[in-house]
Amino acid sequence: MAKKPSPRKSVKSGKPTARRKNVKAKTPEATNEELIEYYKTMLMMRRFEEKAGQMYGMGLIGGFCHLYIGQEAVVTGIQAALKDGDSILTSYRDHAHMLACGIDPKIILAELTGRADGISSGKGGSMHMFSVEKGFFGGHGIVGAQVPIGTGLAFAHKYRKSDNVSVTYFGDGAVNQGQVYESFNMARLWNLPVIFIIENNQYAMGTSLERASSEIELYRRGESFKIDGEMVDGMDVLAVKEAADRAVATCRQGKGPVLIEMKTYRYRGHSMSDPAKYRSKEEVSKMRSESDPIDQIKRRLLDGKLLSEDQLKKIDKEIKAVVSEAAEFAQNSPEPDPSELYTDILVAE
Amino acid sequence: MSVEILLPAMSPTMTEGTIAKWTVKEGDKLSAGDIIAEIETDKATMELETDEDGIMGKILVADGAEGIAVGTLIAIILEEGEDLGTISTINLNPREERIAENKPSEAQAVSAPINIVPLQDDLPEGTTYNNITVREALRDAMAEEMRLDDTVFVMGEEVAEYQGAYKVTQNLLAEFGSERVIDTPITEHGFTGLAVGAAMAGLKPIVEYMTFNFAMQAMDHIVNSAAKTNYMSGGQIRCPMVFRGPNGAASRVGAQHSQNYASWFAHIPGLIVIAPYSAADCKGLLKSAIKSENPVIFLENEMVYGQSFDVPAVDDYTVPIGKAAVVRTGSDVTLISYSIGVKFALEAAEKLALEGIDAEVVDLRTLRPLDMDTVIASVQKTNRAVCIEEGWISCSISSEISARLMEDAFDYLDAPVIRVTNEDVPMPYAANLEKLAVVSQERIIKAIKSVCYKGGDQ
Ligand SMILES: Cc1ncc(C[n+]2csc(CCOP(=O)(O)OP(=O)(O)O)c2C)c(N)n1
Ligand SMILES: [Mg+2]
């Protein structure tokens, strides 16, 4: 399999708290079952997002709709390292994170269509979805705002003396919000079990990383807060999983926080109305053809003779069926009852 | 299995589009992700990608076809081995609109504006008008002031190379260059504070917030730095700057992206707050705001960016800050509003005219300072007032008007002042709930009838 060297770099943050050993870039291992599982999860995300894009085009989904296509390996690899009781949260680009948490695609898609069966009763929309049961704390529309909140989830884990961790995802654009650094400081000051994941898809809307950031090696952004940082190939689910395992272990031992920059790429526009004139078609097609996270695993499965073309087709068919069923559900679910307008504003006491 | 390609909605407001060109031909092999056409939407030219592998079977709408409704069948992609002959079930009528079944309630639609021609006594005789959009009027105002004063600059997210998230700063980069049209990182608190510093040092920043929802990140610098410096420095240090961007409900973007902050800012001494409706007022007031020596909050509205109005074709057209305008004269009741609320008021007035109620409409235009003289003069004539506001009711601009009318015009009122506003809830995403949440014509008309004692509640 032709694979470019993974862009892995790491930084140790200096004396008092830099406890991590040097990272060795060995090829990550995975069992056959794991490989197949990652493949299915990522394919599910992709098919789901494609369907969401189509439904947006049909006017069934309104407002903004931010697709995760291209970035599937990041959340898939990280989620595989988590256990019950861990919490995660992210920005508005959140559909795949919810799928990774095991949330039923039907109620995600029904939220996107704004229907009564949606996970937020149709009142939140694509950017604002939550599931306490599955440890998913949103779905945040204000860039960067989820970072201190995720740090607070970690605070609660520590407060309760559990060994659970909080995974706080944010973008390469969000890294420039001041509250990110306020969070870094507190997270280290109080050694909170938070894993900061920068999903560096290289663009914040139409602004490339270089045009917005003085330090583009984002994994180094925690240095002056004594937070260890590492850059990982976010298109390679196995590399992601391996880094996530280490980060999770560090946090569970009470040695958090950890910062990981995931190098990734979004294939689609920022949201549905982005003409994406800020990058070339060649750039996008190069990423798609050379680094696609799903193709990488597919090739591994085929080359290793773990699955045949026919078996892969069957998987694809099964996933398409699940997504179609979710789409049916999301279109047929009724709109919320008008009385819902005035529910859930305050907790009734 | 063949796949039907329907013209997709490619922006929240797109209802039809133009097929600028097909980038593939019938018979071409496609793989998922390939661009098959370029489509012009209401905002931009977008590329249409296929999600499917296959073969372009049939193109049903020619290059250059305009006004194609969203949902129209425009092409068919075939699976390898399939041919068009085998799929007899497809209806090849290209213009057939295929409105998705179970479509949600129509989102709040923006009807065409009722044109407001500025009736300004001091316009030279024979003044002609250009019919331009609010978006263009705002851009022209900035461009003209930047030509007049080289200390004026624009900063914000995506204002330069992307031409503005809502295209309000279109072409400014080309004319003024990257030193005066500045793309910022996403760091509202930081760049707002930086702009305050630049203003203290004598420059004139125009700070664009992609929407005012994100100005919440910068609230401290607006309220504690910009608004108070002149006062705290005993008049030594000014903050001549404009904070502008879309404010108020947009369409289907949910609770964090759909709110009206007018009364928040209007609460603060040391700020000027402007929220115009028509393109002429947007242009004239934005120019006045940029010329002002004070910090000005300039609240725009995304839903009217694309609407066209007549704007006087005169040099350096300005509208004075702090002056309301009577945009429709009437004798039975005064409707008081601002921003998109003026549109709702005018529409209600037109409708009620058919039922014999003659409403006067006052567009406040500036919210701080409030031009109560104009409001009171109108109420002295009509003896009735209804405040209309696309925003929450508690502590609203409407609440302020209502209180001032009671204090200063009580003797002229024949009925209690009524406030008609959005529902007192965060903005829901669902189409039907959103429609219920936003101030509606029905409720406005009911309120007007009630203060006129004509078949309302009272
Ligand atoms: C405080 C704030 N400012 C601006 C926006 C508008 N906005 C939404 S997403 C976005 C770009 C964010 O980019 P990045 O953090 O890289 O995340 P990505 O979209 O690439 O996942 C911007 C500017 C916002 N939602 N919140
Ligand atoms: Mg990004």
Side-chain angles (χ1 to χ4, degrees):
Chain A
M1 189 176 69
K3 202 167 142 281
K4 54 186 179 44
S6 66
R8 185 148 79 183
K9 294 183 185 173
S10 69
V11 54
K12 295 218 306 171
S13 54
K15 287 142 274 167
T17 48
R19 298 195 184 94
R20 217 190 59 237
K21 310 223 169 54
N22 260 336
V23 187
K24 275 190 260 95
K26 62 171 173 21
T27 316
E29 292 302 324
T31 65
N32 296 351
E33 289 72 36
E34 281 169 343
L35 283 177
I36 294 170
E37 202 48 47
Y38 301 156
Y39 178 72
K40 285 183 177 170
T41 305
M42 293 194 291
L43 197 60
M44 176 71 203
M45 290 169 181
R46 179 139 323 164
R47 296 287 174 255
F48 180 97
E49 294 291 61
E50 286 167 354
K51 182 60 85 179
Q54 288 162 6
M55 289 172 72
Y56 189 94
M58 292 159 71
L60 289 161
I61 296 172
F64 300 134
C65 184
H66 308 86
L67 304 182
Y68 196 65
I69 296 178
Q71 300 181 215
E72 295 91 347
V74 177
V75 73
T76 302
I78 290 171
Q79 198 68 26
L82 301 185
K83 67 172 187 184
D84 272 359
D86 292 339
S87 35
I88 81 164
L89 87 175
T90 186
S91 68
Y92 41 81
R93 201 178 298 284
D94 58 354
H95 317 160
H97 296 68
M98 301 180 71
L99 291 169
C101 288
I103 297 169
D104 183 352
K106 284 196 187 111
I107 60 175
I108 308 174
L109 213 41
E111 188 59 36
L112 269 56
T113 54
R115 304 304 173 92
D117 295 302
I119 191 163
S120 302
S121 315
K123 290 154 76 171
S126 78
M127 299 189 285
H128 309 302
M129 302 189 274
F130 304 83
S131 169
V132 175
E133 184 202 341
K134 305 280 186 186
F136 182 70
F137 286 82
H140 297 265
I142 304 300
V143 169
Q146 75 271 28
V147 180
I149 299 173
T151 310
L153 297 173
F155 180 92
H157 289 313
K158 182 166 182 193
Y159 189 92
R160 296 215 167 92
K161 304 196 167 30
S162 85
D163 71 347
N164 281 118
V165 304
S166 155
V167 182
T168 299
Y169 293 87
F170 53 108
D172 52 289
V175 291
N176 292 317
Q177 285 286 34
Q179 54 187 316
V180 170
Y181 302 94
E182 300 176 26
S183 305
F184 283 2
N185 185 44
M186 289 184 282
R188 171 47 79 219
L189 193 61
W190 300 326
N191 294 328
L192 302 179
V194 50
I195 303 171
F196 296 109
I197 301 289
I198 301 173
E199 292 200 62
N200 178 4
N201 61 12
Q202 337 234 355
Y203 293 92
M205 226 170 222
T207 305
S208 63
L209 178 62
E210 299 72 33
R211 293 207 303 117
S213 283
S214 53
E215 171 57 89
I216 60 168
E217 301 204 310
L218 299 179
Y219 66 97
R220 304 185 57 181
R221 292 282 184 111
E223 259 175 78
S224 56
F225 302 93
K226 300 180 175 154
I227 298 177
D228 289 355
E230 177 181 348
M231 190 211 283
V232 172
D233 179 358
M235 304 300 274
D236 176 354
V237 67
L238 300 182
V240 173
K241 166 68 163 52
E242 191 262 349
D245 279 337
R246 279 185 283 108
V248 167
T250 304
C251 283
R252 295 214 200 285
Q253 289 160 23
K255 296 175 187 168
V258 176
L259 170 64
I260 308 176
E261 174 188 359
M262 296 290 177
K263 277 265 198 220
T264 179
Y265 200 77
R266 73 166 151 71
Y267 297 172
R268 297 292 183 94
H270 167 74
S271 70
M272 300 308 294
S273 55
D274 174 12
K277 295 282 178 240
Y278 43 81
R279 61 183 186 189
S280 67
K281 285 174 205 162
E282 291 69 38
E283 180 184 306
V284 183
S285 51
K286 192 167 151 57
M287 278 312 268
R288 275 188 110 121
S289 58
E290 291 176 11
S291 311
D292 187 75
I294 299 175
D295 283 351
Q296 287 190 41
I297 291 293
K298 189 174 174 177
R299 258 180 268 136
R300 250 182 120 110
L301 292 172
L302 286 172
D303 294 351
K305 304 217 177 340
L306 299 175
L307 290 178
S308 66
E309 282 280 6
D310 278 349
Q311 284 170 308
L312 287 172
K313 276 214 172 110
K314 189 162 162 271
I315 290 175
D316 196 28
K317 228 175 164 172
E318 282 163 7
I319 286 173
K320 273 194 169 150
V322 173
V323 172
S324 295
E325 196 190 333
E328 279 293 304
F329 178 84
Q331 291 179 57
N332 293 324
S333 169
E335 293 193 303
D337 190 85
S339 64
E340 286 286 339
L341 197 54
Y342 272 93
T343 58
D344 301 327
I345 297 164
L346 286 175
V347 178
E349 279 169 327
Chain B
M1 247 202 15
S2 65
V3 179
E4 300 184 6
I5 306 293
L6 309 184
L7 180 68
M10 300 175 108
S11 87
T13 44
M14 171 175 168
T15 55
E16 53 173 50
T18 295
I19 313 289
K21 73 167 197 253
W22 290 98
T23 51
V24 293
K25 306 184 298 303
E26 287 177 8
D28 283 0
K29 200 166 182 270
L30 307 174
S31 34
D34 284 356
I35 291 153
I36 57 171
E38 289 179 5
I39 312 276
E40 276 167 34
T41 74
D42 53 332
K43 280 195 193 150
T45 304
M46 309 268 299
E47 286 158 349
L48 180 62
E49 288 176 11
T50 167
D51 291 330
E52 306 289 332
D53 296 338
I55 299 203
M56 177 51 81
K58 182 107 191 120
I59 290 176
L60 294 154
V61 178
D63 278 3
E66 287 175 27
I68 309 294
V70 165
T72 304
L73 177 63
I74 56 172
I76 295 167
I77 294 179
L78 302 174
E79 213 175 307
E80 225 157 320
E82 221 178 10
D83 77 66
L84 264 184
T86 61
I87 37 173
S88 51
T89 51
I90 289 183
N91 179 351
L92 292 180
N93 178 1
R95 293 305 307 269
E96 191 200 3
E97 280 183 34
R98 299 166 180 232
I99 304 302
E101 275 169 46
N102 305 309
K103 236 188 130 138
S105 305
E106 282 306 312
Q108 280 171 274
V110 212
S111 49
I114 295 171
N115 201 2
I116 299 178
V117 181
L119 294 170
Q120 264 190 277
D121 303 337
D122 43 46
L123 284 178
E125 217 170 297
T127 295
T128 58
Y129 294 88
N130 295 326
N131 197 258
I132 61 172
T133 62
V134 165
R135 179 180 278 124
E136 291 160 338
L138 292 164
R139 191 264 325 277
D140 291 352
M142 288 187 276
E144 288 180 19
E145 290 307 308
M146 290 175 80
R147 283 175 209 134
L148 290 172
D149 180 349
D150 65 11
T151 63
V152 178
F153 68 96
V154 186
M155 71 190 311
E157 292 154 20
E158 310 289 357
V159 297
E161 292 193 13
Y162 199 78
Q163 311 294 327
Y166 296 96
K167 302 285 174 272
V168 176
T169 51
Q170 200 145 27
N171 301 332
L172 292 183
L173 176 66
E175 180 172 354
F176 301 102
S178 58
E179 284 177 12
R180 296 180 70 194
V181 184
I182 301 162
D183 278 327
T184 63
I186 307 168
T187 169
E188 288 83 2
H189 192 214
F191 68 71
T192 303
L194 183 149
V196 169
M200 285 181 174
L203 301 183
K204 295 193 121 186
I206 302 170
V207 176
E208 173 176 307
Y209 297 112
M210 195 172 282
T211 76
F212 260 91
N213 302 288
F214 315 140
M216 296 301 101
Q217 299 284 320
M219 208 58 168
D220 178 62
H221 278 307
I222 299 173
V223 174
N224 274 323
S225 306
K228 304 204 172 94
T229 303
N230 194 44
Y231 191 79
M232 297 187 303
S233 70
Q236 288 181 77
I237 300 185
R238 298 174 178 178
C239 283
M241 58 197 301
V242 177
F243 306 94
R244 50 156 290 273
N247 172 62
S251 175
R252 307 290 313 278
V253 292
Q256 290 185 332
H257 284 73
S258 245
Q259 25 200 354
N260 175 356
Y261 296 96
S263 63
W264 292 45
F265 294 110
H267 189 63
I268 308 294
L271 291 179
I272 287 171
V273 183
I274 298 175
Y277 168 56
S278 74
D281 285 346
C282 284
K283 179 170 183 192
L285 278 161
L286 183 53
K287 280 171 63 74
S288 297
I290 298 168
K291 290 179 199 289
S292 168
E293 286 296 311
N294 289 300
V296 180
I297 304 285
F298 194 92
L299 304 171
E300 299 159 11
N301 187 293
E302 186 198 329
M303 309 291 276
V304 298
Y305 274 155
Q307 306 224 313
S308 299
F309 298 82
D310 288 342
V311 177
V314 294
D315 279 349
D316 207 15
Y317 175 70
T318 59
V319 170
I321 293 173
K323 297 260 354 139
V326 175
V327 292
R328 183 185 203 280
T329 52
S331 53
D332 294 336
V333 56
T334 301
L335 311 183
I336 303 148
S337 193
Y338 63 93
S339 190
I340 197 170
V342 175
K343 179 181 170 58
F344 302 151
L346 287 168
E347 285 166 356
E350 295 278 299
K351 192 144 189 206
L352 284 169
L354 304 174
E355 300 181 31
I357 295 178
D358 185 20
E360 179 147 304
V361 178
V362 176
D363 179 353
L364 292 169
R365 305 195 294 187
T366 302
L367 305 178
R368 183 185 187 94
L370 262 180
D371 178 8
M372 284 307 291
D373 291 349
T374 299
V375 175
I376 290 171
S378 176
V379 170
Q380 284 174 339
K381 191 169 79 171
T382 63
N383 310 114
R384 294 171 163 85
V386 173
C387 303
I388 297 159
E389 187 163 2
E390 191 279 289
W392 291 307
I393 193 163
S394 301
C395 310
S396 59
I397 300 294
S398 300
S399 303
E400 179 67 17
I401 300 278
S402 173
R404 296 236 214 150
L405 284 174
M406 193 165 75
E407 287 170 14
D408 300 331
F410 188 72
D411 292 340
Y412 296 98
L413 287 169
D414 285 350
V417 177
I418 297 189
R419 298 167 296 161
V420 193
T421 67
N422 290 1
E423 294 294 323
D424 196 15
V425 302
M427 188 64 77
Y429 166 72
N432 64 328
L433 296 185
E434 179 181 73
K435 215 169 176 180
L436 290 172
V438 175
V439 61
S440 70
Q441 196 180 74
E442 257 169 271
R443 283 197 285 131
I444 295 171
I445 286 180
K446 193 166 158 217
I448 297 171
K449 286 187 173 167
S450 115
V451 298
C452 294
Y453 303 115
K454 288 200 176 157
D457 276 346
Q458 298 170 37

